[in-house]
Amino acid sequence: MAEAGPKATPIAQTTEAPPAISAQVPPGSTARSRLARTPEPMQRPRILTWLEGVAHIAVILGIPLFFFQQFNMAQGLKRERSLAIIERFSDQDLLLARDAVQVPWREISVPELIAEGMDCETFGDLVIDVVRSDPRLQRSVFQIVDFFDTAHVCVEARVCDEETLTQFSQSYADEFYSVYRPYLDSLGRSLGAEAVASGLRSFVQRVPNC
C-alpha cells in the first residue's frame, strides 16, 4: 500500500482586524489643531445684552411716567373747565344778579343787626320778607344758587378741579349764605326738598350764626 504524501499545513486563520487607516497628520500642523479643537457655542455680542438691559429699564421707568403725564393732562383739563365756570360769574346776567342781592342791605348792615342783639328768628323773618316782596330779588337769588349748583355738579362728576373753584368762590359763598340762609332754608321746607342750595353749601366754609 503506497504511503500518503506529506500533509499540507493549513494556513492559520487570523481573527485580528486589519489596522485602521488613519490620516497621518504631522504633529503641530494647523490641520491637527483644527481637528483637536472643540467647537465653542457662538456668544452674543455684549452690546446686544447692554441694549436689552437699557430697553427693560426704559420700559419700567416709562410706565409710571406715562400715568404721571396722563394725570397731569387730566388735571389740566379740569382746571380749564373750572376756569370756564369761573368766567361765567362775570357774565352780564350774573353781574346784575350779584348787584341785586346786595341792594337791600346797602343801608342795613347785617353784621350790625346781629351785633346789636337781633335774634336769629327775627333776622330770618326779615330776610324772608325782603326776598318774597321782590320778584327780581328772588330771581337773582336763584341765579346765584344755580351757579354754585353747576360748579358743585362739575366737581362731583370729576370734570372740574375742586381746589380751583373753592379758592375762587369760597369768600363769596360765605358772604351770600350768611345773609340768605333763612330764605333758602324756608324755601327747602316749603318745597320738601332738603337739597335746595346744596351746591352752594358745599362751598361754604364759614357757617353763619343765624
Side-chain angles (χ1 to χ4, degrees), residues 73-206:
M73 186 180 299
Q75 290 299 107
L77 291 174
K78 284 184 177 181
R79 282 191 290 270
E80 288 180 8
R81 297 186 186 106
S82 301
L83 292 175
I85 289 181
I86 291 172
E87 288 179 2
R88 277 193 53 213
F89 206 58
S90 299
D91 288 350
Q92 184 66 24
D93 57 338
L94 275 172
L95 287 175
L96 293 174
R98 288 162 56 188
D99 182 69
V101 299
Q102 293 177 355
V103 169
W105 316 107
R106 283 177 180 165
E107 297 180 1
I108 304 175
S109 173
V110 173
E112 288 181 6
L113 291 176
I114 302 299
E116 290 174 1
M118 178 179 287
D119 60 87
C120 289
E121 184 177 356
T122 303
F123 172 73
D125 291 340
L126 173 63
V127 172
I128 292 171
D129 290 341
V130 168
V131 178
R132 287 179 176 174
S133 64
D134 188 347
R136 180 173 179 268
L137 179 57
Q138 292 181 42
R139 185 168 57 253
S140 297
V141 169
F142 291 148
Q143 283 180 283
I144 293 175
V145 169
D146 178 68
F147 168 81
F148 283 102
D149 283 346
T150 301
H152 175 66
V153 169
C154 192
V155 170
E156 286 295 299
R158 299 183 179 181
V159 175
C160 291
D161 181 56
E162 182 176 7
E163 183 179 355
T164 301
L165 288 174
T166 300
Q167 288 177 351
F168 168 79
S169 60
Q170 176 187 335
S171 178
Y172 187 87
D174 287 344
E175 181 182 352
F176 178 81
Y177 191 60
S178 67
V179 175
Y180 289 98
R181 176 183 180 180
Y183 173 71
L184 295 172
D185 290 347
S186 172
L187 183 64
R189 288 192 298 270
S190 64
L191 296 176
E194 297 181 358
V196 170
S198 60
L200 169 65
R201 292 188 179 92
S202 70
F203 290 100
V204 172
Q205 300 293 326
R206 187 181 69 249

Side-chain angles (χ1 to χ4, degrees), residues 6-22:
K7 294 181 179 179
T9 304
I11 299 175
Q13 298 294 325
T14 60
T15 58
E16 295 181 1
I21 300 175
S22 59

Side-chain angles (χ1 to χ4, degrees), residues 25 35 106 195:
V25 181
L35 292 173
R106 283 177 180 165

